[in-house]
Amino acid sequence: MVSVAAFILLLRYRKILTEPVVAWSILNGVLLFSGLAMTDVNFAAIITKPDNVPITMLIFSVGFCTWLGLRKGVINDERYARGEPPPGKGRR
């Protein structure tokens, strides 16, 4: 339920949250939290098992791809609002 609410908030405030400075701040916060979590011996033993490493990489990959898609969408929406074509599509 919390993840659904967070995703809805992400979509609602996508213009602010996809700004590079904000996105870098969120990433740094997640990395700090992950680093602090690694100080727990049991958590570190579980997360560093070879079959769990791809899952950890997947979490960050999904976050990056979600940010990238939303960022490009925000940029495209702004161009559309100004009456410009999407990036890479010139007027002919």
Side-chain angles (χ1 to χ4, degrees):
M1 187 69 180
V2 174
S3 62
V4 173
F7 188 68
I8 290 171
L9 289 173
L10 173 67
L11 292 178
R12 173 70 179 100
Y13 299 106
R14 66 189 176 273
K15 188 172 183 178
I16 297 167
L17 293 174
T18 59
E19 287 292 326
V21 172
V22 176
W24 274 113
S25 300
I26 293 170
L27 176 63
N28 285 329
V30 169
L31 290 174
L32 177 65
F33 178 76
S34 300
L36 291 174
M38 291 296 285
T39 61
D40 180 25
V41 177
N42 293 324
F43 180 76
I46 292 169
I47 203 74
T48 57
K49 285 185 181 177
D51 59 341
N52 290 339
V53 171
I55 296 169
T56 306
M57 293 175 8
L58 178 70
I59 291 170
F60 288 101
S61 297
V62 167
F64 173 74
C65 291
T66 301
W67 170 79
L68 183 63
L70 286 173
R71 182 69 187 150
K72 288 189 175 281
V74 166
I75 291 170
N76 195 33
D77 289 346
E78 290 171 350
R79 290 177 61 94
Y80 182 74
R82 292 191 305 260
E84 299 175 8
K89 305 283 184 186
R91 295 184 189 217
R92 296 176 194 198

